[in-house]
Amino acid sequence: MDHFQYRDGILYAEDVAIPDIAAAVGTPFYCYSTATMTRHYQVLAGSLEGTGARICYAVKANSNQAVIRTMVELGAGADVISGGELQRAMAAGATADSIVFAGPGKTRDELAQALAVDIYQFNVESEPELRLLSAVASEMGKVAPVSIRVNPDVDAGTHEKITTGRKQNKFGIPIDRAMDIFDLGASLPGLAMLGVAIHIGSQITDLAPFEEAFDRALGLVDELRAAGHDIKRCNLGGGLGIPYSGETPPPPAEYGAMVKRLTANRQLDLVLEPGRVLVGNAGILVARVIHEKHEGRRFVIIDGAMNDLIRPAMYDSWHDIVPVREAAPDAMISAADVVGPICESGDTLAKGRPMAPLAPNDLIAVRSAGAYGAVMASTYNSRPLVPEVLVRGDTFAVIRPRLDIADLIALDQPPPWQSP
Ligand code: LLP
């Protein structure tokens, strides 16, 4: 359920007509709905009620300050993957004690930065990282709260590039090595070995791999406790999928019920790291048709491109594309490739989509673009990053302005041997 609906044939975000935003900010632009984010957060949080689970929003999905702040105001903490994300999360109001730091390649500086502010937890992914964290924490006179991210060797059944929980993936410590790592951690200075963490991938649309992975992680908690480790926490990661086009991911209520069933009576502080499920369907990318080209195939050429939304090019992912002004019921529908102006064939947002005819300047909306959209954008082809707009009720605000090409050029510095 989202808040992008047609009214009298025009697409609205909550109570704001998309053409009004386009007139104010130009195209392309990202548009997010506060009500949708709020609803998604509340449904997920509601499904976990009574578990005491912390929802640490995976800010990598959408790290605009206003989006993080929306989540923080709803009660979320933050899951961060870099020193930059740590700073972003804190700048948006996340308190350090609600932040978990994940990722397979944290640098010494990043560890020190997180130790300095006393974050809730480090999800440690390797033995060298554990040793480094111990050394840095000891130098700083700190005790680092540690969960070990284990790799449960479960196939999440998702896209090759976003599955993380199989043993050939770079993430975590193989679950059968976990006991040794906890023993090592317990013997090193500067570490509090508190918990087990997992994250098996993203856009998972089936409950079974989650259950299998959680079961393995919780089995490990039992073994570690039996061996004398005082395990207090379990971090269940993110990964819950969303409907992009007819998928039927498990409803949060079922996911929550499963988490409750598996964790009951285990006395664990739970952490979840959802990203996509909170923001994915709360965003659209709005673009304008430049023109149609008919040369054997029908191409709809728009002013949005792969640099603005790279998911179709990178993961062959599907995003519904709809006209902002609804087509007439008797419009001639035919298959079209929706493409951007970038000089490569990968710059295709959709292939062979049934669409009504579009005229120059018509607006289209690429749906489900709230997660891994703006954050993965680049300035390829010297296309400045596009604005982001947040809607709340009948108002909207630009939460990131369009970058100016002059500012982009000004980032380059001439070497001393070239005249400026
Ligand atoms: N926790 C960890 C350790 C992660 O690596 C991720 C995502 C999450 C949580 C949040 O996962 P989510 O709930 O959003 O599925 N760019 C790709 C997705 C990459 C996901 C990376 N890790 C895409 O556009 O599909």
Side-chain angles (χ1 to χ4, degrees), residues 323-336:
V324 166
R325 183 179 300 276
E326 241 176 340
D330 59 350
M332 267 278 292
I333 305 293
S334 67

Side-chain angles (χ1 to χ4, degrees), residues 3-16:
H3 289 76
F4 298 99
Q5 308 289 343
Y6 287 102
R7 285 190 200 165
D8 297 328
I10 301 291
L11 188 66
Y12 274 65
E14 303 187 23
D15 299 325
V16 180

Side-chain angles (χ1 to χ4, degrees), residues 5 20 42 44 46 57 86 106 147 155 186 255 269 280 335 358 401 420:
Q5 308 289 343
D20 291 348
Q42 286 174 344
L44 184 64
Y57 166 57
L86 174 61
K106 307 176 194 77
S147 278
D155 187 350
Y255 176 86
D269 295 332
L358 287 158

Side-chain angles (χ1 to χ4, degrees), residues 1-2 36 40 158 202-206 210 239-252 274-283 311 318-319 367-372:
M1 159 67 189
D2 62 56
T36 310
H40 290 174
T158 185
S202 195
Q203 184 53 15
I204 301 169
T205 51
D206 185 7
F210 282 120
L240 198 54
I242 61 169
Y244 281 95
S245 163
E247 297 95 334
T248 50
R276 189 189 314 261
V277 73
L278 299 178
V279 295
N281 279 329
R311 301 195 69 257
W318 176 290
H319 289 260
R367 305 212 40 165
S368 310
Y372 308 111

Side-chain angles (χ1 to χ4, degrees), residues 58 60 79 102 149 162 199 201-203 238-240 273-276 311 315 372 376:
K60 63 172 77 66
D79 158 47
R149 176 166 176 188
I162 53 173
H199 171 76
S202 195
Q203 184 53 15
L240 198 54
E273 302 168 347
R276 189 189 314 261
R311 301 195 69 257
Y315 315 110
Y372 308 111
M376 293 180 78

Side-chain angles (χ1 to χ4, degrees), residues 358-391:
L358 287 158
N361 293 323
D362 281 353
L363 297 170
I364 55 115
V366 183
R367 305 212 40 165
S368 310
Y372 308 111
V375 283
M376 293 180 78
S378 76
T379 57
Y380 186 39
N381 277 213
S382 288
R383 293 169 50 86
L385 297 179
V386 306
E388 293 174 275
V389 170
L390 182 62
V391 170

Side-chain angles (χ1 to χ4, degrees), residues 221-246:
V221 168
D222 295 345
E223 279 172 42
L224 291 164
R225 282 178 167 172
H229 291 285
D230 188 13
I231 303 299
K232 294 184 160 60
R233 302 179 182 174
C234 191
N235 181 326
L236 299 173
L240 198 54
I242 61 169
Y244 281 95
S245 163

